Each structure stands twice: as C-alpha cells, then as structure tokens.
Amino acid sequence: MKITSVMKQRLMSAVSTVLVRWGVPRNQMDERIKKVGRGFLLVSILFVVPCAVWTDSLSSLVKIVLQLGFALCMFAGVLLAFDDGKLPPR
C-alpha cells in the first residue's frame, strides 16, 4: 500500500469523526470532506503570506514553522479535496 493512501485514509477518518460529532448526516459526508479539503487549501495561503510580506523581519525558526504549516495544509487539502481515480466533469 502506498503511504499517501494510508495517510488519506487516516486523514479522512479523523475528519469524518469530527464531522459526525458536529452532526453531519452520513449521506452528506463525502461532499463535506471535500469542502474541508478545499478549506485546508485556502488556509494554507495564510501561512505563505507572512513569509512573502515580512521576509526580512522574521527569524529562521518562524519561517520554517510557517513553511511546514503551509506544506501540511496543502498536503491535507489535496488529499481530501480531490479523488484519486475520478476525472472532473466537462
């Protein structure tokens, strides 16, 4: 099994658990998981903007933390927002 598929299963499980606690019906779960993935993609922008705007005044540790946050949000967003084998409708 590929590591991305294992990580996708774990991430989807965690998001599903949170959505069930919030009272989302099972028949809406797939669509809501995709919305959460798109949200992760949008939130990742918030990690990149400070790096681009305040390049000189940030310490190296803060830059690394912001870049890791960006990478993790992008990775989670891509895994959740897009299906592996399905092409988008035309």
Side-chain angles (χ1 to χ4, degrees):
M1 237 174 147
K2 293 182 182 177
I3 191 162
T4 54
S5 63
V6 172
M7 293 182 80
K8 182 174 183 171
Q9 288 175 355
R10 288 187 181 177
L11 189 59
M12 287 182 73
S13 172
V15 170
S16 296
T17 302
V18 171
L19 290 176
V20 166
R21 287 184 186 167
W22 285 351
V24 175
R26 292 274 182 196
N27 59 355
Q28 296 177 359
M29 195 65 67
D30 289 335
E31 187 60 36
R32 294 298 284 268
I33 288 175
K34 287 181 184 180
K35 284 184 181 181
V36 170
R38 290 190 297 258
F40 272 121
L41 290 173
L42 288 174
V43 167
S44 68
I45 295 169
L46 297 175
F47 287 100
V48 139
V49 170
C51 283
V53 174
W54 300 303
T55 54
D56 296 335
S57 62
L58 291 178
S59 69
S60 295
L61 180 63
V62 173
K63 286 181 187 178
I64 290 170
V65 168
L66 288 173
Q67 290 172 358
L68 285 174
F70 170 74
L72 290 174
C73 283
M74 284 294 290
F75 185 70
V78 168
L79 284 180
L80 292 175
F82 303 111
D83 291 334
D84 291 333
K86 298 180 183 175
L87 294 174
R90 292 181 186 203

